[in-house]
Amino acid sequence: MYAVKSTLPDQDLKVVGEALQGALVDLVDLSLVAKQVHWTVIGPRFRSIHLQLDEVVDTARTYSDTVAERAAALGLAPDGRASALASGSGISGVESGWHQDDKAVEVMVGALASVVNRMRERMDATEKPDPVTQDILIAVIADLEKHHWMFQAEHKVD
């Protein structure tokens, strides 16, 4: 039973729904990981990394809302609960405690790469069943790749 009936055929809706739910989980978890690192980063580059992490949080939160609303528009109930995150996120856990600035950058580069790679799989999966969803995922990837690049470029230590 649907509260809202999608115009997509059921088979396409299943593929798109899985892509949107996976994207939602990864984006919500990315925002939480970035916020955790934001609160615990220390070191000489504290301020620049601290501010940069807020940019990642803003991006992830904005797109998580876009993705969830796309799912709802298709008649799918988005699930951003902690249990959905725990069972579905592709991001490695963040260690507790303080994070030296270089370690914080390493954590974020890894988290962003993981999410981008999974988003690319979803982008490919949604190409035929729903180009509208694919377009959203393309925008997500572009912004997350930009953050990935900036963390690497701004904080490269030789």
Side-chain angles (χ1 to χ4, degrees):
M1 173 88 181
Y2 297 102
V4 175
K5 178 66 175 135
S6 174
T7 56
L8 293 176
D10 285 344
Q11 183 176 348
D12 290 348
L13 187 61
K14 182 179 183 327
V15 170
V16 172
E18 288 172 1
L20 288 168
Q21 180 58 36
L24 176 62
V25 165
D26 279 350
L27 288 165
V28 171
D29 198 25
L30 179 63
S31 74
L32 295 172
V33 166
K35 207 46 146 164
Q36 181 63 36
V37 176
H38 168 90
W39 294 324
T40 60
V41 64
I42 57 174
R45 293 176 291 152
F46 162 80
R47 182 160 173 75
S48 64
I49 295 170
H50 185 79
L51 296 173
Q52 193 173 3
L53 287 161
D54 270 339
E55 294 172 5
V56 173
V57 171
D58 289 345
T59 297
R61 287 181 178 168
T62 296
Y63 280 122
S64 65
D65 194 50
T66 300
V67 164
E69 288 177 355
R70 177 66 184 154
L74 294 174
L76 303 164
D79 188 355
R81 297 172 303 149
S83 59
L85 300 179
S87 66
S89 178
I91 302 173
S92 297
V94 178
E95 294 178 20
S96 63
W98 300 106
H99 294 88
Q100 189 63 39
D101 51 8
D102 59 336
K103 179 65 176 169
V105 168
E106 184 180 307
V107 167
M108 290 311 301
V109 167
L112 286 160
S114 175
V115 173
V116 165
N117 289 333
R118 288 165 54 103
M119 290 294 177
R120 285 189 170 283
E121 292 171 6
R122 295 174 186 119
M123 178 189 70
D124 291 343
T126 57
E127 178 182 11
K128 289 189 181 178
D130 188 25
V132 175
T133 295
Q134 185 192 42
D135 190 49
I136 292 168
L137 297 174
I138 289 168
V140 171
I141 292 165
D143 283 351
L144 294 182
E145 283 184 334
K146 184 176 179 181
H147 288 300
H148 184 253
W149 157 58
M150 288 186 169
F151 267 106
Q152 291 180 85
E154 291 180 20
H155 305 289
K156 184 71 176 170
V157 178
D158 292 324

